[in-house]
Amino acid sequence: MGDHRNEPLRKASGNRLTAMMQVRNESGRYLEQVLRELSEFVDEIVIVDDGSTDDTVRVCRSFAKVSKVVTLEHSLFRREWELRQTLWDLAVSTRPDWLVSVDADEFYEERAKQEMRHLINQDVYDWVAFRMYDFWGGTTHYREDELWNLHTRHTRTLVRYLPGFYYFTPQMDHHVPRLPLSYAVLPGFLAELRVKHYGWALEPDALRRKYDRYMELDPEGKWGSLEHYRSILDEHPRLVEWGD
């Protein structure tokens, strides 16, 4: 190991960007496109596979920038905080400068990809939050109503790794924050840049199956809102056309 004592805690240039992702049975959906687009603007990708039974791992390994893939023998889907912690531990084992947490159905808009190096090559703030849009029923419109308005606030997805800092992940079974909550005490930047989330870009039958799964996992609304779950079945949700 080299002597890192003289290295600055925050580098204003030359930062590497590592993407971190957890996956499970994503083959045939958006995974390949997400990895292709990620490979355009990150330096490295690390992945935890939560016990996939399809060829998700093969797809992941087919991309040159995927440097680490860990496959879990037993799924942690019902203990999501452990899954998040496992991914975090794997990601920081690569000694990253910056980490971007991406799901297998999320796409950064072109402007965000172009700005990414400017966002990380500075020594003023330690995290960046973006506006996340929930697309609904397809990839042309996003949902916007009282219960579906994530894009009206910012979601932290891009963080500087600070060795020695205390990182805390709450022990929740579902809806666990994608990055340690302790970043909230560090200086950050709210970017007016957008991320497209295609996790709800589904046909009605698939939306019904997703609703059923949420109700099975969280029937009392302990980890989320029952009203929010029920709204998945709205027959006429308010949709807004996406514009570049």
Side-chain angles (χ1 to χ4, degrees):
M1 299 287 290
D3 187 344
H4 298 280
R5 287 175 295 181
N6 294 324
E7 292 185 2
L9 184 62
R10 295 172 173 84
K11 297 190 300 184
S13 62
N15 285 291
R16 286 176 54 80
L17 178 57
T18 301
M20 51 188 282
M21 181 188 301
Q22 61 191 47
V23 296
R24 176 176 169 80
N25 291 341
E26 299 289 350
S27 181
R29 299 181 67 239
Y30 298 107
L31 176 62
E32 196 161 354
Q33 185 182 350
V34 168
L35 289 172
R36 187 180 307 116
E37 294 199 14
L38 270 182
S39 295
E40 296 173 6
F41 67 94
V42 306
D43 300 294
E44 186 176 0
I45 304 171
V46 297
I47 296 172
V48 169
D49 173 64
D50 189 33
S52 290
T53 55
D54 60 9
D55 67 345
T56 290
V57 171
R58 181 197 62 77
V59 172
C60 292
R61 293 189 187 281
S62 71
F63 285 84
K65 287 194 175 177
V66 174
S67 61
K68 288 180 179 287
V69 181
V70 169
T71 300
L72 305 180
E73 282 189 38
H74 304 288
S75 172
L76 291 174
F77 181 71
R78 294 176 183 271
R79 299 195 305 279
E80 189 181 328
W81 76 271
E82 290 186 45
L83 183 57
R84 291 288 189 192
Q85 189 65 52
T86 299
L87 177 58
W88 177 259
D89 292 342
L90 176 67
V92 302
S93 74
T94 66
R95 299 182 62 86
D97 293 320
W98 280 78
L99 293 158
V100 59
S101 175
V102 184
D103 284 349
D105 51 20
E106 292 175 353
F107 296 88
Y108 282 75
E109 67 173 336
E110 284 303 315
R111 196 161 64 90
K113 291 188 282 188
Q114 293 164 10
E115 291 290 325
M116 203 62 68
R117 291 293 151 178
H118 297 295
L119 293 172
I120 68 174
N121 282 322
Q122 47 71 35
D123 57 6
V124 177
Y125 49 80
D126 298 319
W127 55 262
V128 182
F130 300 84
R131 293 195 184 273
M132 190 83 61
Y133 289 74
D134 286 316
F135 279 67
W136 202 269
T139 58
T140 61
H141 291 71
Y142 60 89
R143 184 165 176 175
E144 181 178 80
D145 53 42
E146 184 179 352
L147 294 172
W148 295 85
N149 51 30
L150 183 61
H151 56 279
T152 63
R153 52 194 184 276
H154 287 78
T155 300
R156 185 185 301 116
T157 63
L158 178 64
V159 295
R160 188 195 308 271
Y161 177 58
L162 298 168
F165 184 65
Y166 173 68
Y167 292 104
F168 169 74
T169 298
Q171 296 187 13
M172 301 165 59
D173 289 345
H174 299 290
H175 308 299
V176 181
R178 67 174 68 204
L179 290 163
L181 286 182
S182 28
Y183 272 104
V185 304
L186 296 171
F189 178 67
L190 304 181
E192 293 306 322
L193 299 166
R194 303 176 299 176
V195 182
K196 296 181 281 188
H197 173 227
Y198 286 172
W200 300 100
L202 302 167
E203 295 294 325
D205 287 350
L207 287 172
R208 161 64 73 169
R209 289 193 296 272
K210 205 161 183 176
Y211 164 79
D212 290 342
R213 189 166 75 246
Y214 275 124
M215 294 305 295
E216 177 195 354
L217 293 169
D218 190 18
E220 298 176 0
K222 180 179 180 181
W223 307 109
S225 159
L226 289 177
E227 185 182 14
H228 198 260
Y229 297 159
R230 287 192 288 267
S231 72
I232 295 170
L233 301 181
D234 287 353
E235 293 185 6
H236 303 289
R238 182 177 184 274
L239 303 182
V240 179
E241 187 173 6
W242 176 264
D244 289 318

